[in-house]
Amino acid sequence: MPTDPIVGTIASLMPRAKQELAELVAFQSVADWAQFPKSESEAAANWVADALRTEGFQDVALLDTPDGTQSVYGFLPGPAGAPTVLLYAHYDVQPPLDDAAWISPAFELTERDGRWYGRGAADCKGGFIMHLLALRALKANGGVPVSVKVIVEGSEEQGTGGLQQYAEAHPELLVADTIVIGDAGNFRLGLPTVTATLRGMTLLKATVNTLGGNLHSGMFGGAAPDALAALIRVLDSLRAADGSTTVDGLASDAVWEGLQYPEADFRADARVLDGVELIGDGTVADRLWARPAVTVLGIDCPPVVGATPSVHASAGALISLRVPPGVDVTEAIKLLEAHLVAHTPWQARLELEVVGQGQPFQANTDSPAYASMRAAMKVAYPGQEMQISGMGGSIPLCNTLTTLYPEAEMLLIGLSEPEAQIHAVNESVSPEELERLSVTEALFLVNYAESKRG
């Protein structure tokens, strides 16, 4: 067992951490005012700001970002000459989806089978609690050895870019020597992992129009162009027969050289039904971390219940395209738009709207910060070595920060291991993982400060 006093301190702080996470999870902070009131997000932002003030942070501020949400900022000065570390998390969450499918209420932290369940428990309200635990442990064991900036975003899940735009307009605000993004996760529960690459993403709304209004399918079907049928053909063109993403002109054959993801493990993590094939070719790691991936997120059309015998005049879809490192998302959007236009049948009218985007990210894993993190994880996870993986998801802020601060080192850690089921119903966090990653972050800050003094 590790003997570092920080380990014991964080263990003693876990009951408080559970209570605080319960308070934070209770806010229905979905940054979509059509689904949840803006006041819920504002209340969550104020809770985060109050927590920073309680920990002695200075210059705590609610930043009104261009997308209409608030990010929370605070600064904790360290010893003279110490490096500055920026800690990131986000307090906004995904919608709960089907409330009835949650075993316990989505916005009520509930302990069950050794895990804590609730929307945002892992992604990423738990990430903010992780930062608090690490800093509290350091204060109880000689003090925080670095200056710390904390930024907690309010619209990361919506991909509307408010914090990125704010940072670009105020580049001095988040300047740091190294950046810890607390919004990733271990490759496997109990396997310490730093994420080194992220796919970029774009959200594109496509609307197909063919008629001045719906028509009776018996009187007009067979000659009248059906917008829903046209949309289905357009969407089907985005995949090859094996399910691989096919956007004209966009390469989809890259290979991932690092940590691999065994297919049996992936099937279990993704809860793929028996007998159902995985899609695409290459290794699972290739498909998740090195290649583009298209997903149809939703379709605007009549539901089955209440449907009438009609030829449809209009239909729409929201399309997500994940873009691997090395591909510029702006160019990928142009290719996706051109593909959709080229594959729209019957000269149907196609309207396209980009509603969100973010560039991919790739870290420098040879930096001193990675050595400091490796040593910290060795203590927090006895008998384990730090792993470096990719992540198929997107954190658009990472590329913004890399552009603004090219000399800053960046590491991605967090609580979103496979069992957490983030973005799905019954999201949960492992309290043991929260404890160990809090230890990791605290020891990382100690190691990093020492590396800079050396």
Side-chain angles (χ1 to χ4, degrees):
M1 292 295 291
T3 58
D4 194 291
I6 286 175
V7 175
T9 300
I10 287 179
S12 72
L13 292 170
M14 288 301 294
R16 179 182 177 186
K18 182 182 180 183
Q19 176 58 39
E20 290 178 322
L21 184 56
E23 293 174 10
L24 196 49
V25 164
F27 297 111
Q28 300 178 18
S29 51
V30 178
D32 181 349
W33 320 140
Q35 298 185 68
F36 290 89
K38 188 175 183 179
S39 59
E40 287 290 306
S41 289
E42 291 173 338
N46 277 287
W47 191 98
V48 170
D50 287 341
L52 292 179
R53 293 187 188 102
T54 299
E55 296 305 317
F57 275 75
Q58 303 175 2
D59 305 324
V60 176
L62 299 175
L63 310 177
D64 293 319
T65 59
D67 63 356
T69 64
Q70 294 178 317
S71 292
V72 187
Y73 170 82
F75 175 66
L76 185 68
T84 298
V85 177
L86 175 66
L87 305 179
Y88 167 90
H90 63 84
Y91 68 81
D92 70 302
V93 297
Q94 286 284 337
L97 302 175
D98 182 3
D99 285 326
W102 283 78
I103 297 173
S104 51
F107 295 103
E108 181 179 312
L109 194 71
T110 304
E111 185 168 3
R112 186 169 64 252
D113 300 324
R115 296 182 69 91
W116 300 343
Y117 287 80
R119 175 58 89 221
D123 183 26
C124 176
K125 293 177 176 180
F128 177 64
I129 299 300
M130 175 185 73
H131 295 328
L132 291 181
L133 280 170
L135 296 174
R136 287 169 182 162
L138 291 170
K139 288 162 68 177
N141 289 278
V144 180
V146 297
S147 292
V148 175
K149 293 180 179 180
V150 168
I151 188 71
V152 186
E153 189 173 4
S155 58
E156 190 275 340
E157 298 292 7
Q158 294 300 309
T160 47
L163 181 55
Q164 293 100 278
Q165 296 172 58
Y166 191 95
E168 288 165 355
H170 304 83
E172 74 289 344
L173 184 70
L174 302 181
V175 173
D177 296 288
T178 197
I179 301 167
V180 178
I181 303 290
D183 191 25
N186 286 344
F187 178 71
R188 178 79 46 213
L189 184 67
L191 183 65
T193 310
V194 176
T195 300
T197 69
L198 298 168
R199 287 191 294 199
M201 57 84 69
T202 184
L203 293 175
L204 189 66
K205 184 176 181 181
T207 304
V208 175
N209 298 292
T210 56
L211 302 166
N214 284 8
L215 300 172
H216 189 290
S217 62
M219 296 177 64
F220 295 95
D226 188 313
L228 180 55
L231 177 66
I232 290 170
R233 287 210 173 181
V234 172
L235 298 179
D236 183 60
S237 74
L238 293 169
R239 292 194 182 278
D242 67 357
S244 300
T245 291
T246 53
V247 175
D248 296 341
L250 186 61
S252 59
D253 58 356
V255 174
W256 178 263
E257 300 290 354
L259 180 69
Q260 292 298 307
Y261 201 156
E263 184 170 320
D265 291 346
F266 177 81
R267 292 186 67 89
D269 292 340
R271 295 180 293 176
V272 180
L273 300 180
D274 289 346
V276 176
E277 298 177 355
L278 300 186
I279 63 172
D281 61 359
T283 69
V284 171
D286 293 340
R287 287 172 260 181
L288 295 183
W289 303 332
R291 298 180 181 178
V294 70
T295 305
V296 179
L297 302 184
I299 298 178
D300 285 333
C301 64
V304 172
V305 176
T308 62
S310 299
V311 178
H312 296 292
S314 180
L318 184 63
I319 302 166
S320 164
L321 177 65
R322 301 286 180 168
V323 180
V327 176
D328 179 72
V329 73
T330 304
E331 181 62 25
I333 291 171
K334 292 178 181 178
L335 292 173
L336 176 59
E337 290 177 328
H339 176 102
L340 295 173
V341 169
H343 290 269
T344 299
W346 317 320
Q347 296 186 34
R349 297 180 183 178
L350 178 67
E351 299 175 2
L352 299 174
E353 178 187 1
V354 177
V355 295
Q357 67 183 77
Q359 291 286 358
F361 165 78
Q362 188 159 14
N364 173 17
T365 59
D366 295 325
S367 68
Y370 272 78
S372 297
M373 184 63 75
R374 188 180 302 277
M377 286 183 160
K378 199 165 187 175
V379 174
Y381 291 83
Q384 299 283 358
E385 293 289 337
M386 182 182 83
Q387 303 294 316
I388 296 177
S389 76
M391 187 167 74
S394 306
I395 306 176
L397 181 65
C398 288
N399 241 75
T400 299
L401 296 178
T402 300
T403 301
L404 290 175
Y405 320 119
E407 300 303 317
E409 304 172 73
M410 189 178 298
L411 307 97
L412 288 85
I413 63 173
L415 302 166
S416 301
E417 39 77 27
E419 294 181 37
Q421 294 294 328
I422 65 168
H423 293 203
V425 298
N426 299 310
E427 176 185 344
S428 68
V429 68
S430 162
E432 288 80 11
E433 204 80 299
L434 172 59
E435 185 173 343
R436 291 191 181 204
L437 282 166
S438 300
V439 171
T440 295
E441 185 166 277
L443 294 177
F444 163 75
L445 295 176
V446 172
N447 296 343
Y448 185 69
E450 290 177 352
S451 72
K452 289 298 184 180
R453 282 197 298 268

